[in-house]
Amino acid sequence: MKVLALPIEMVSYTDNKGAIKPIRFRMQINDEPMQVIKIDKVIVKDIEKLAGNVMLVYKCQSLIDGALKLFEIKYNLATCKWILFKI
């Protein structure tokens, strides 16, 4: 997987217990048009501390351009921002 650390726009669902489930996100790489990726499956959800920031880490899979791809997205609890970390 290639590390991107790209900020993304996320649509997510939060249940009544506070658990966040990502649904789909929108990203733009360089000058390409915006691309919407639907998250088919969350494989692993984990918590990590990166430079003192607590982040929720989601390892997911989706069908992107006709191929099944694994990727990692992170949610920063302090800033409430999502990033596409690896794809």
Side-chain angles (χ1 to χ4, degrees), residues 47-78:
I47 297 175
E48 78 173 17
K49 273 192 177 180
L50 184 63
N53 296 323
V54 179
M55 296 187 150
L56 297 177
V57 180
Y58 296 86
K59 291 183 174 122
C60 308
Q61 74 178 22
S62 291
L63 195 62
I64 302 172
D65 297 330
L68 192 64
K69 296 211 178 186
L70 296 172
F71 55 92
E72 189 174 292
I73 54 177
K74 294 184 179 186
Y75 179 70
N76 188 329
L77 291 172

Side-chain angles (χ1 to χ4, degrees), residues 1 5 12 15 17 35 37 39 42 45 47 50 56 73 79:
M1 284 194 280
S12 63
D15 66 12
K17 295 178 179 92
Q35 183 177 12
I37 307 294
I39 298 171
V42 175
K45 178 185 172 189
I47 297 175
L50 184 63
L56 297 177
I73 54 177
T79 62

